Amino acid sequence: MTRALILGGTADASLLAAEIARAHIDAVYSYGGRTRAPADQPLPTRIGGFGGVSGLVDYIRCEGITHVIDATHPFAAEMSRHVVEASAETGTPLIALERAPWTRAPGDNWIEVHDVDAAVAALPEATAKVFLAIGRQHIAPFAAKPQHAYTLRFVDPPEAPLPFAADVIVSRGPFTLDSELEMMRTRGITWIVARNSGGDGAHAKIDAARMLGLPVIMIARPKLPERLRVESVGEIMQWLGHRACLGA
Ligand code: NAP
């Protein structure tokens, strides 16, 4: 009997959950608990950390999990490392659902860096209007360049004071090219800092930056241990021994 655990929190994970529910496969969807009102899923859902690798090992054993699917964000490296270790320890098959990273298109003006500190260093010294498209956990290092006017965008309003004054947009994606162009034009954005998430949902800001001729500091994905990785829901369904109904 199959009983799958989906580590979720991405648009692709939601597509997968819909397909697994449609196929009547027994599964649990897991959220990390980063957003206050995560999207409802058509599967039994749990929210919050497992308590490290040992907690995840216990969960897999106690819940009788037979297949683990890592559909977390490509920058959720800690969770992905834990899953690799826990699946090895329990002998549970693991697959990752992860879109390929974005690559430069003609006209893109990217400065590629390996981490947030390098992104801070890559910003100019002269005052700029910077759109920081990177998750609230990572903004603190930008306080080192207080000369810039920062625009931030979060799914939920910030609960704690921010490490520096900023223009905060509270909105949940995906965003369209037109809305990204308008946001950047009305705020006079001159630089963008983004993470190479891949996929379509977050790409409109990159297209908008190209159209406006703006430089993008692109933070590369963290390195993860080797694991089986596919890019589509259909491939996950095949791995589970089912045919996908969607063209996903
Ligand atoms: P993380 O740093 O890899 O995970 C930290 C801990 O959170 C994990 O060790 C685990 O706790 C718990 N956790 C994470 N995902 C979980 C899940 N699906 N189910 C249960 N527990 C989970 O990941 P993160 O804190 O979620 O995010 C890391 C980065 O990814 C951030 O930069 C964030 O902005 C980005 N992210 C983006 C999206 C998105 O855009 N859709 C979604 C999620 C994250 P235990 O060790 O206790 O098990």
Side-chain angles (χ1 to χ4, degrees):
M1 271 294 280
T2 300
R3 180 159 163 78
L5 171 62
I6 304 171
L7 286 315
T10 59
D12 280 344
S14 294
L15 288 176
L16 175 64
E19 190 68 6
I20 283 184
R22 209 185 317 267
H24 302 290
I25 297 172
D26 186 15
V28 181
Y29 186 104
S30 177
Y31 274 118
R34 300 286 170 265
T35 54
R36 255 175 253 168
D40 283 341
Q41 299 296 337
L43 293 173
T45 299
R46 64 167 302 287
I47 300 180
F50 296 93
V53 176
S54 62
L56 183 54
V57 165
D58 289 347
Y59 184 88
I60 288 171
R61 287 186 175 139
C62 293
E63 290 289 323
I65 300 297
T66 60
H67 294 71
V68 179
I69 301 155
D70 179 1
T72 57
H73 192 267
F75 283 79
E78 191 179 351
M79 186 73 252
S80 293
R81 289 189 187 109
H82 289 180
V83 178
V84 168
E85 285 186 45
S87 77
E89 195 171 326
T90 57
T92 314
L94 164 67
I95 195 167
L97 174 58
E98 187 183 277
R99 293 284 158 117
W102 297 319
T103 53
R104 283 170 204 252
D108 276 331
N109 176 9
W110 288 9
I111 299 160
E112 291 180 83
V113 298
H114 285 292
D115 56 27
V116 172
D117 289 338
V120 176
L123 277 175
E125 295 306 321
T127 303
K129 291 192 172 175
V130 183
F131 174 38
L132 284 187
I134 61 168
R136 73 184 68 195
Q137 305 99 309
H138 310 289
I139 61 171
F142 290 89
K145 288 214 168 148
Q147 67 269 44
H148 302 313
Y150 293 102
T151 293
L152 312 174
R153 187 164 61 196
F154 301 140
V155 174
D156 296 311
E159 276 173 350
L162 298 172
F164 46 82
D167 171 21
V168 177
I169 302 169
V170 177
S171 186
R172 189 191 287 261
F175 303 97
T176 65
L177 175 60
D178 284 347
S179 70
E180 294 293 49
L181 283 169
E182 191 193 338
M183 184 278 287
M184 291 180 196
R185 283 188 178 125
T186 53
R187 289 175 166 78
I189 299 294
T190 54
W191 282 74
I192 290 154
V193 180
R195 298 184 300 184
N196 197 334
S197 304
D200 299 333
H203 196 262
K205 61 179 176 280
I206 308 302
D207 293 330
R210 183 188 320 113
M211 290 177 71
L212 297 172
L214 302 180
V216 177
I217 298 173
M218 185 66 79
I219 304 173
R221 295 176 178 191
K223 292 261 180 295
L224 293 175
E226 282 297 316
R227 69 240 154 103
L228 180 61
R229 187 185 73 82
V230 295
E231 293 184 22
S232 71
V233 169
E235 288 165 287
I236 300 276
M237 297 305 287
Q238 280 176 10
W239 180 76
L240 288 169
H242 289 256
R243 268 168 25 96
C245 304
L246 293 172

